[in-house]
């Protein structure tokens, strides 16, 4: 957490879109004066961060001459003085801004600065993952929306399998239930593409994790690779693989993949 007694009593921030920053998330505030405040690029502390892509800090917000004072009303209503804002950069673009603030005119300490910068880096990583998820889901949804794709064609089939496995890997490692559900739903639609309208009876009912593991094995991943991609321990991967092989009546990992595909559990 950025907001704490030994760091910043107040923390807030928001995402950047169209060159504007919208403040939407707050911890430690006493009023709603800054809720949904629209900060323009180059204006105030946050606007300068959006424009420059660099951290900006002031000790006395109200009297500081290095910033414009478009937002003095909301800031003064909250009683803030020392303010530090840092960019959340993804791929060279400022995607969000995080603020830490103190109600006294005191310099921000190094420990508090490091905490805020660390939080911005973690958020940048999460946004990068979300971007990749959106790209993969969009690709998968394009494939499933155009059923004209010839899944008997080797190149098309391998692309379908690759997208399916990547979705399972990302879904298996994310902590966002809504995002995970969305990815698994699209992955299932990809697996269903090969089945047409009539599916043969499926004797094996694999768990979601067993399917995740087999999807990575199908890509040629080792147990160690699979563990890293799914954020699991190697021994856990082995346990899921053994369970899937037992359910499928397979004696090797590759036979398990073949049997899972013949049952349309994998594309």
């Amino acid at each position: 957490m950025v907001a704490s007694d030994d760091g910043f009593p107040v923390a807030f921030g928001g995402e950047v879109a169209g060159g504007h920053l919208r403040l939407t998330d707050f911890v430690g505030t006493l009023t709603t004066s800054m809720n949904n405040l629209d900060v323009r690029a180059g204006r105030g502390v946050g606007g300068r961060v959006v424009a420059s892509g660099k951290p900006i800090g002031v000790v006395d917000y109200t009297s500081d001459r290095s910033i414009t004072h478009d937002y003095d009303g909301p800031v003064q209503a909250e009683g803030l003085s020392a303010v530090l804002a840092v960019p959340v950069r993804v791929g060279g673009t400022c995607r969000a801004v995080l603020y830490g603030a103190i109600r006294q005119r005191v310099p921000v300490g190094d420990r508090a600065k490091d905490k805020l910068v660390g939080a911005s880096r973690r958020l940048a990583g999460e946004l990068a993952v979300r971007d990749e998820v959106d790209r993969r889901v969009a690709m998968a949804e394009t494939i499933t929306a155009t059923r004209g794709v010839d899944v008997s064609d080797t190149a098309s089939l391998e692309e379908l399998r690759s997208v399916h496995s990547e979705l399972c890997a990302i879904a298996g490692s994310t902590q966002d239930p809504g995002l995970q559900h969305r990815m698994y739903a699209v992955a299932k639609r990809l697996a269903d593409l090969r089945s047409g309208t009539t599916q043969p009876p499926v004797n094996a009912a694999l768990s979601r994790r067993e399917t995740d593991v087999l999807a990575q094995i199908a890509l040629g991943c080792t147990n160690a690779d699979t563990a890293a991609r799914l954020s699991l321990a190697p021994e856990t991967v082995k346990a899921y693989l053994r369970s899937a092989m037992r359910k499928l009546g397979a004696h090797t990992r590759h036979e398990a993949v073949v049997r899972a595909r013949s049952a349309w559990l994998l594309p």
Side-chain angles (χ1 to χ4, degrees):
M1 292 295 292
V2 173
S4 65
D5 292 337
D6 61 350
F8 292 106
V10 180
F12 53 98
E15 294 191 51
V16 177
H20 285 225
L21 165 66
R22 175 67 61 84
L23 301 183
T24 56
D25 295 277
F26 303 85
V27 178
T29 50
L30 302 176
T31 73
T32 59
S33 62
M34 297 186 295
N35 287 23
N36 293 311
L37 184 65
D38 188 33
V39 179
R40 292 172 293 164
R43 317 303 291 180
V45 174
R48 281 190 59 195
V49 172
V50 173
S52 68
K54 299 177 180 178
I56 302 291
V58 298
V59 174
D60 186 353
Y61 184 99
T62 302
S63 64
D64 193 281
R65 295 183 179 181
S66 68
I67 60 171
T68 67
H69 289 275
D70 303 48
Y71 314 107
D72 280 6
V75 173
Q76 289 173 348
E78 188 57 46
L80 305 181
S81 183
V83 177
L84 174 66
V86 299
V88 178
R89 296 174 61 84
V90 179
T93 301
C94 181
R95 294 280 299 280
V97 175
L98 292 182
Y99 295 76
I102 307 172
R103 293 187 171 88
Q104 292 79 37
R105 299 176 187 176
V106 294
V108 175
D110 290 339
R111 180 179 178 182
K113 290 179 182 177
D114 291 344
K115 181 179 289 189
L116 192 62
V117 170
S120 74
R121 289 173 178 165
R122 290 191 297 274
L123 181 56
E126 292 174 6
L127 289 175
V129 169
R130 184 173 290 274
D131 288 348
E132 179 62 15
V133 168
D134 287 342
R135 187 179 75 83
R136 289 287 179 177
V137 169
M139 185 185 304
E141 289 180 337
T142 297
I143 293 174
T144 58
T146 56
R147 282 186 171 263
V149 62
D150 183 5
V151 294
S152 64
D153 175 74
T154 302
S156 296
L157 182 55
E158 287 309 310
E159 177 65 9
L160 185 153
R161 287 171 173 169
S162 176
V163 172
H164 176 274
S165 295
E166 290 293 341
L167 279 173
C168 287
I170 299 172
S173 62
T174 183
Q175 301 300 311
D176 185 330
L179 196 59
Q180 189 178 70
H181 177 76
R182 180 186 176 198
M183 286 186 287
Y184 276 129
V186 176
K188 185 179 185 305
R189 287 167 59 192
L190 286 176
D192 289 345
L193 272 182
R194 295 196 67 201
S195 67
T197 56
T198 305
Q199 295 189 16
V202 178
N203 295 322
L206 300 182
S207 72
R208 181 170 286 175
R209 273 309 201 193
E210 289 166 350
T211 303
D212 288 348
V213 168
L214 278 185
Q216 305 314 307
I217 300 302
L219 280 182
C221 292
T222 64
N223 288 349
D225 293 335
T226 300
R229 288 165 65 85
L230 297 178
S231 300
L232 297 173
E235 289 303 318
T236 304
V237 168
K238 291 179 183 179
Y240 282 127
L241 181 56
R242 285 194 298 268
S243 177
M245 289 170 59
R246 183 175 63 254
K247 290 180 179 180
L248 292 165
H251 300 289
T252 68
R253 56 203 284 126
H254 300 297
E255 184 183 0
V257 170
V258 171
R259 287 178 175 266
R261 283 174 174 166
S262 67
W264 295 332
L265 300 172
L266 294 175

